[in-house]
Amino acid sequence: KTSILSAMLTFLVHILIISHSAVLVEPVEVSPHGDLLDLPWQTELCCSSTPAQLHHGGEEEDTGSAPSDTGHPHTLQCLFRNFTSTLGPHPESELSRATCWDILCRVDETWDNVICDLKHPATSSDTSIPGSVALSLQHLTTLPDIEVNSTHGTDCVGEDSITCSVALHVVSSIVVVTANVSNTTAGPLVMLSVPPRTSQRLWKPSPPLNLTHTQTTEGELILSWSDPQPHASPVQLSYEVRYNTSQSTSHPNWLHVNVSGAQWVSLTGLRPGLQYTLQIRSHHPALPHLWSDWSQQHRIRLENVTYLPERVVASFGDSVTVYCVCNDLRVNASTMVWILNSRDRLPKSQYAAVNDRVSKITVRPSEQRLSDTLHCCQPFGEMYSCNYHYSTIYIKDPVIDISCVTSGDLDSMTCRWNNLPIGGINFMSRVADLSCDVMEEAERVGVPVGVVRQAKCESSGYRGVKSCNLQPIRVTSCYKLWMEAKTDNSTRSHPVYITPMDHVKPHPPSGLEAVSMPSGVLKLAWVPPELPIYDMQYQVRYALSTGKAHPFWQVLALQTESWAEVLEPDVCGVYNVQVRCMHINGSGTWSDWSHLLYTTTHNSRAPDQGPDFWRVFQEDPASMQTNVTLLFEHSPIVEPTYCVEELVVQHQDSGDTVTEERIGLVSSYSFEWRGEVHSVTVKAQNSQGSSTRNTHMTLDRHPKRQCVRSFSAAHFQELLCWDEFTLKNRKKENKGLSPEKVYFLSDGCSELDRLYSIST
């Protein structure tokens, strides 16, 4: 090794030419120990002016001397002042006022190049050494026959900074570094040993990887990372973390944290609602200035609360503990309340504060839900302020009551369930052309059959999935149905096996007809739906039409024919009638009720006479108007040959203008009396016509007034007065009869308390 090194030094000293200056290098003394320096290598290149030395005969040595201020020539001297290895004596007194450059040589991460960076310190303002700086890298290798071979080199020139590299083509080799400042070669000679790729040497590390952050159950925020080459160095690297919230990429306001001996750090002071950008770099403890590049950016955004864990899988009966970390330091965890499934506030006995920032709760998951959700909320009076994030507890194998209905057209099947999760589910199906017993047995022994499909589901806003629809379907095949969580498809409900043909909801019957017979029987008939093609059973309901929103329904016994008869308690009443159907064996579900039908009464002739009635006055003296209210008494029907379907009021004013108004079957009717004389006739009417014997009333504002004197047993006298009104019989055949007079007691105020009929 000594002979090889000696040969190499001799070769270098005599053939090396300094780039760009074309100056032959004089022999330079090497290190007394003949050391090869390891990479990476860091030092300073320093230059200063010293008085020139004279040779024999008084001649100056031409070494780039410059005249001094006193007129005496000075010589520029440049030396490598090594930080990591001794290269020879360097009198500090001579270089105390020197101009220096930092120089760092290293092997790149891919082991393909040796790179040297020469920089003038940014803090230095010394420009006393003029001229350019040249840096030369020569790559040498030794051949098996111990001959020295110089493969290639690189020359780089600059002023304040230079980056120079030379390619490596062999596993182990030597790189010679020389520098020239203003035609002056720096010494001593520097030889750098390039270690094998597998050798554990010091170099510029690669940036850290896998930046992640977590929060602990005590509320601490932990940032962690890993090294890209964890076994490259037996010594733990040192790290620097920087983070900021600035949106400006040109002038970010970085905060720095130094980390030694660990690959994690606890971050404090981060505020919720802000997005933080973080990066990490590393260096070897022996090379504190040789930093790696910054890592990829990692972002952290804290919500007002953080849940630990955010998702958990549990079985029914398990106890699950969830922590709520309050990232808003203004909120104390002891004031927080817990809400289950966005609806139920949990009792305080189930939760407690761990510290000022953390609240924890212990619950048992539901049995008939795919998942439970927990919200940690801040109370405001009777209301709560809850973040949109929540913790989800997925339940293993829950028993969910899935019910399905096949459409009356037999082309789709809609499935629903009662215990509705908030969301995040997939409704799955597997269909096979087998009976459900055979399919269930095959899957029980581990033989999956059929094809898996995901159903189309409809959403109902914040309540999540409302129903799922399968279309098209095979009505005689077996469907295996289950639900599974989107974020964890291993969390699924117990399956349900269904044949669509057994769950049909048919269309309601159509063409409903109802006829009232004189015998008091209501005959009904309808048309069954076209699909499905099997025998049906029917249910009929009816109610007397009263105009109320919820009539009193009566339901007939189940029918197997498409007709029915109902005994009518009221032969003149109008009834509401509806009918529905389902499979005769009771499978599936009832259809919707048919359209509401109003029955019609059976009439063989028109009514005989109109109703009796009384009248009540309400007068307004200011407007000279009188409100008249008629109170009706309906006459009983002796023989069910006709029914009164409605009443018709006929008005005739003093100008003989006649108008009619249909008022239905009512118990009272009001109108305004404006003129001097007003006549009113009330008729009964049905589909066959109107009554001919009707009550007629004439109202006169100036009627004849009659009085009689009465005597009581105590011999007191009382004057009884009344106004006379005439009610005439309007039948033409009775035109010659004398009219019956009806008198109304009056106290002079036109207020009627009671009606007295006095026959003449």
Side-chain angles (χ1 to χ4, degrees):
K1 177 179 178 180
T2 303
S3 60
I4 295 176
L5 180 59
S6 176
M8 292 176 62
L9 293 178
T10 303
F11 172 79
L12 289 171
V13 169
H14 289 88
I15 71 169
L16 194 61
I17 299 178
I18 304 303
S19 61
H20 301 285
S21 62
V23 177
L24 183 65
V25 180
E26 294 290 336
V28 180
E29 294 293 332
V30 300
S31 169
H33 306 288
D35 291 339
L36 287 176
L37 303 180
D38 292 332
L39 286 169
W41 172 71
Q42 187 172 16
T43 188
E44 281 185 330
L45 170 62
C46 296
C47 298
S48 65
S49 298
T50 60
Q53 298 180 358
L54 298 178
H55 285 268
H56 298 289
E59 295 180 1
E60 281 189 7
E61 180 185 2
D62 185 11
T63 57
S65 62
S68 65
D69 294 339
T70 59
H72 298 287
H74 281 63
T75 301
L76 183 64
Q77 184 180 10
C78 297
L79 296 174
F80 288 116
R81 183 162 59 181
N82 201 344
F83 290 164
T84 58
S85 180
T86 302
L87 293 178
H90 303 296
E92 295 295 332
S93 59
E94 297 180 7
L95 297 179
S96 59
R97 292 174 293 177
T99 299
C100 297
W101 291 262
D102 292 331
I103 183 168
L104 171 65
C105 295
R106 54 187 171 82
V107 182
D108 64 6
E109 293 84 348
T110 61
W111 227 265
D112 293 330
N113 300 279
V114 170
I115 303 174
C116 291
D117 297 311
L118 185 143
K119 296 181 180 179
H120 194 58
T123 58
S124 174
S125 59
D126 186 2
T127 58
S128 60
I129 307 299
S132 62
V133 180
L135 194 63
S136 176
L137 303 181
Q138 297 293 327
H139 179 213
L140 307 177
T141 184
T142 57
L143 300 178
D145 56 359
I146 317 180
E147 292 182 0
V148 178
N149 179 25
S150 175
T151 57
H152 61 280
T154 303
D155 299 330
C156 308
V157 180
E159 292 186 0
D160 290 334
S161 63
I162 300 174
T163 297
C164 202
S165 65
V166 62
L168 302 176
H169 300 296
V170 293
V171 175
S172 180
S173 56
I174 297 173
V175 173
V176 179
V177 181
T178 56
N180 182 284
V181 179
S182 300
N183 298 328
T184 298
T185 302
L189 191 67
V190 176
M191 292 187 297
L192 304 177
S193 175
V194 181
R197 186 185 298 268
T198 58
S199 176
Q200 290 187 349
R201 300 286 182 170
L202 304 182
W203 66 91
K204 177 183 177 180
S206 298
L209 301 175
N210 305 322
L211 275 67
T212 57
H213 70 276
T214 57
Q215 277 188 288
T216 67
T217 55
E218 289 76 28
E220 191 176 15
L221 180 64
I222 302 297
L223 176 70
S224 60
W225 58 88
S226 61
D227 287 327
Q229 299 167 323
H231 305 294
S233 174
V235 180
Q236 178 67 48
L237 300 180
S238 297
Y239 304 92
E240 182 182 19
V241 179
R242 68 176 184 179
Y243 61 95
N244 73 83
T245 60
S246 175
Q247 301 298 322
S248 173
T249 57
S250 58
H251 299 89
N253 184 21
W254 293 104
L255 300 175
H256 295 262
V257 178
N258 293 319
V259 182
S260 297
Q263 293 181 349
W264 63 271
V265 65
S266 175
L267 299 177
T268 59
L270 273 64
R271 296 166 54 192
L274 300 178
Q275 179 165 287
Y276 291 85
T277 301
L278 301 94
Q279 288 181 296
I280 306 176
R281 64 178 182 175
S282 61
H283 71 79
H284 194 282
L287 300 173
H289 301 289
L290 188 57
W291 286 99
S292 72
D293 294 331
W294 287 105
S295 66
Q296 293 290 327
Q297 291 184 349
H298 179 71
R299 288 180 172 83
I300 296 178
R301 178 184 174 88
L302 295 178
E303 300 297 335
N304 288 334
V305 294
T306 301
Y307 295 95
L308 302 172
E310 195 170 281
R311 294 180 177 87
V312 63
V313 179
S315 299
F316 174 71
D318 291 347
S319 293
V320 179
T321 299
V322 176
Y323 294 83
C324 167
V325 181
C326 300
N327 296 313
D328 188 346
L329 301 181
R330 298 170 298 178
V331 178
N332 194 299
S334 62
T335 65
M336 304 298 279
V337 298
W338 288 84
I339 308 295
L340 177 66
N341 297 323
S342 301
R343 181 179 63 249
D344 304 322
R345 176 174 174 175
L346 295 172
K348 291 184 177 180
S349 59
Q350 289 186 248
Y351 56 89
V354 176
N355 53 40
D356 290 344
R357 293 190 54 206
V358 181
S359 174
K360 75 171 183 177
I361 188 170
T362 300
V363 296
R364 295 183 183 273
S366 305
E367 183 180 8
Q368 295 183 339
R369 293 180 64 91
L370 192 65
S371 64
D372 284 329
T373 60
L374 288 170
H375 278 92
C376 181
C377 305
Q378 185 178 2
F380 286 97
E382 297 297 324
M383 307 296 290
Y384 309 105
S385 174
C386 305
N387 190 269
Y388 64 91
H389 286 287
Y390 49 84
S391 178
T392 304
I393 304 174
Y394 293 103
I395 297 98
K396 292 181 180 178
D397 301 325
V399 179
I400 297 180
D401 184 17
I402 301 175
S403 61
C404 299
V405 175
T406 303
S407 69
D409 296 325
L410 307 181
D411 61 348
S412 65
M413 182 169 65
T414 300
C415 299
R416 303 175 185 273
W417 48 93
N418 295 329
N419 32 13
L420 190 70
I422 285 184
I425 69 164
N426 289 325
F427 188 84
M428 308 300 296
S429 70
R430 182 187 292 271
V431 58
D433 294 328
L434 301 170
S435 68
C436 284
D437 292 339
V438 175
M439 182 178 183
E440 190 171 357
E441 178 63 22
E443 295 209 337
R444 188 184 65 81
V445 298
V447 181
V449 293
V451 180
V452 176
R453 293 192 303 174
Q454 182 174 334
K456 180 181 180 182
C457 300
E458 298 178 1
S459 175
S460 61
Y462 73 96
R463 288 189 174 272
V465 175
K466 179 181 180 181
S467 64
C468 292
N469 188 61
L470 297 170
Q471 187 178 19
I473 58 172
R474 304 202 290 264
V475 293
T476 58
S477 299
C478 182
Y479 283 78
K480 174 187 175 183
L481 307 173
W482 73 94
M483 289 189 291
E484 63 184 31
K486 287 183 178 179
T487 56
D488 182 10
N489 57 13
S490 63
T491 303
R492 57 180 60 186
S493 65
H494 275 296
V496 175
Y497 294 86
I498 286 177
T499 301
M501 198 63 178
D502 296 335
H503 297 267
V504 176
K505 180 182 179 180
H507 293 299
S510 58
L512 179 61
E513 296 179 349
V515 179
S516 295
M517 305 303 295
S519 59
V521 174
L522 181 64
K523 285 192 172 183
L524 305 174
W526 57 84
V527 178
E530 296 182 359
L531 292 175
I533 305 175
Y534 49 50
D535 293 334
M536 296 279 190
Q537 59 179 330
Y538 304 93
Q539 192 174 57
V540 176
R541 68 177 182 178
Y542 65 97
L544 189 63
S545 180
T546 59
K548 296 181 179 179
H550 302 286
F552 178 70
W553 291 105
Q554 300 184 66
V555 181
L556 295 182
L558 296 180
Q559 309 288 317
T560 57
E561 303 293 337
S562 58
W563 60 271
E565 291 185 350
V566 180
L567 291 177
E568 294 182 280
D570 184 358
V571 295
C572 288
V574 176
Y575 289 87
N576 302 333
V577 182
Q578 288 181 301
V579 62
R580 62 179 181 175
C581 63
M582 73 179 303
H583 197 292
I584 196 170
N585 66 5
S587 65
T589 59
W590 284 104
S591 72
D592 294 329
W593 289 103
S594 64
H595 291 297
L596 189 64
L597 175 69
Y598 293 90
T599 63
T600 57
T601 56
H602 180 78
N603 297 303
S604 60
R605 59 189 180 90
D608 290 333
Q609 65 180 23
D612 292 333
F613 60 88
W614 293 263
R615 66 109 174 103
V616 178
F617 286 154
Q618 288 181 336
E619 296 190 9
D620 184 0
S623 60
M624 295 297 293
Q625 293 183 359
T626 302
N627 288 328
V628 181
T629 299
L630 305 183
L631 307 175
F632 300 109
E633 181 182 18
H634 297 284
S635 302
I637 304 299
V638 180
E639 297 181 1
T641 58
Y642 72 88
C643 295
V644 177
E645 297 176 355
E646 62 178 347
L647 299 180
V648 178
V649 179
Q650 185 181 70
H651 298 272
Q652 183 175 358
D653 58 17
S654 56
D656 292 333
T657 301
V658 178
T659 59
E660 287 189 350
E661 184 178 358
R662 300 175 183 271
I663 61 174
L665 286 176
V666 296
S667 59
S668 64
Y669 168 73
S670 299
F671 65 93
E672 288 187 358
W673 175 21
R674 296 176 178 272
E676 292 291 328
V677 179
H678 192 96
S679 298
V680 177
T681 303
V682 182
K683 299 182 289 184
Q685 185 169 298
N686 63 17
S687 59
Q688 301 298 320
S690 301
S691 59
T692 54
R693 295 170 51 200
N694 303 307
T695 301
H696 176 79
M697 179 181 68
T698 300
L699 303 175
D700 193 340
R701 295 193 182 276
H702 305 287
K704 292 186 298 179
R705 189 173 183 84
Q706 301 186 25
C707 298
V708 298
R709 193 174 300 276
S710 63
F711 300 90
S712 65
H715 304 289
F716 288 104
Q717 296 184 2
E718 182 177 3
L719 185 64
L720 181 66
C721 300
W722 63 88
D723 295 334
E724 180 182 341
F725 294 86
T726 302
L727 289 89
K728 298 180 180 179
N729 192 306
R730 306 291 289 181
K731 293 186 66 175
K732 294 181 180 180
E733 58 269 22
N734 294 333
K735 187 174 182 180
L737 296 177
S738 299
E740 178 186 5
K741 292 186 178 180
V742 179
Y743 301 91
F744 299 88
L745 294 180
S746 173
D747 60 359
C749 298
S750 300
E751 292 293 339
L752 178 63
D753 296 323
R754 176 135 179 116
L755 172 68
Y756 292 87
S757 177
I758 304 176
S759 300
T760 58

